[in-house]
Amino acid sequence: LRPGREVADFAALLSVLTTELDRAGSPRVTCVGTSGGGGPAMLAALRLRATRCISLCGTLREEWAPLLGELSGGRLPRVDPVGEEWPSYLFVHGAEHDLDRENAHGLQTLLGGDVLSVPGVERHNVLHALMQQNRLNDEFNALMHGELRLGGTEVARHESS
């Protein structure tokens, strides 16, 4: 957004972003959200036709389900994939955080994609926990491409549903 520009709500923000991305020539977009921002990131990924969406310990509030259905055209990727236009989803959670694990697998069931379980993290905020443990190195960009490096020989592991 341009400095000083304000929007009324999430739908207006998505509209402005869509316009700006169209102006930019439809660049590749990755949407990222953590905790309560995971749901909006998933919705934004659909609306903006992002190539990737990363949800870090994300949740999806029940009242957003109708909007998700509207934005996805009522299609669930595991049933009716829309090919390259459908975002690639990655749901990240701390391996020792049961609620986040349940949420990640629930979202994977709904949207498809992968679940990445980060070992040694029992707190809700994965990124904060990794930073406190000096495990989040300068390769954060690898997370954006689906490969989270934690330093040394330890890596996060993908889980099946």
Side-chain angles (χ1 to χ4, degrees):
L1 292 175
R2 291 182 180 88
R5 185 163 184 190
E6 294 183 21
V7 293
D9 56 24
F10 186 65
L13 174 63
L14 291 178
S15 179
V16 169
L17 288 172
T18 299
T19 299
E20 294 299 324
L21 289 170
D22 287 346
R23 236 182 247 158
S26 298
R28 291 176 47 115
V29 174
T30 297
C31 295
V32 180
T34 184
S35 190
M42 291 175 251
L43 297 173
L46 287 169
R47 176 72 182 271
L48 301 175
R49 297 187 179 191
T51 53
R52 187 160 182 75
C53 180
I54 300 171
S55 173
L56 303 154
C57 309
T59 60
L60 183 64
R61 294 174 19 192
E62 287 184 33
E63 58 265 29
W64 291 342
L67 180 58
L68 181 63
E70 177 186 323
L71 290 173
S72 67
R75 296 178 294 239
L76 295 177
R78 60 189 166 82
V79 176
D80 184 14
V82 292
E84 293 180 351
E85 293 183 16
W86 194 272
S88 166
Y89 285 96
L90 177 62
F91 306 101
V92 181
H93 69 87
E96 284 78 40
H97 197 281
D98 294 337
L99 181 58
D100 285 345
R101 180 184 315 103
E102 290 173 22
N103 285 336
H105 284 283
L107 292 167
Q108 180 189 38
T109 298
L110 179 65
L111 294 166
D114 294 313
V115 172
L116 190 64
S117 178
V118 182
V121 175
E122 58 188 42
R123 297 175 57 191
H124 172 63
N125 187 333
V126 160
L127 292 180
H128 185 254
L130 291 175
M131 285 187 285
Q132 282 190 321
Q133 297 171 13
N134 293 319
R135 293 170 58 196
L136 185 65
N137 57 28
D138 60 354
E139 297 181 24
F140 178 76
N141 192 45
L143 173 62
M144 298 301 198
H145 301 286
E147 299 175 10
L148 176 62
R149 297 180 186 274
L150 303 175
T153 58
E154 184 177 28
V155 295
R157 66 181 183 281
H158 286 268
E159 296 180 334
S160 58
S161 52

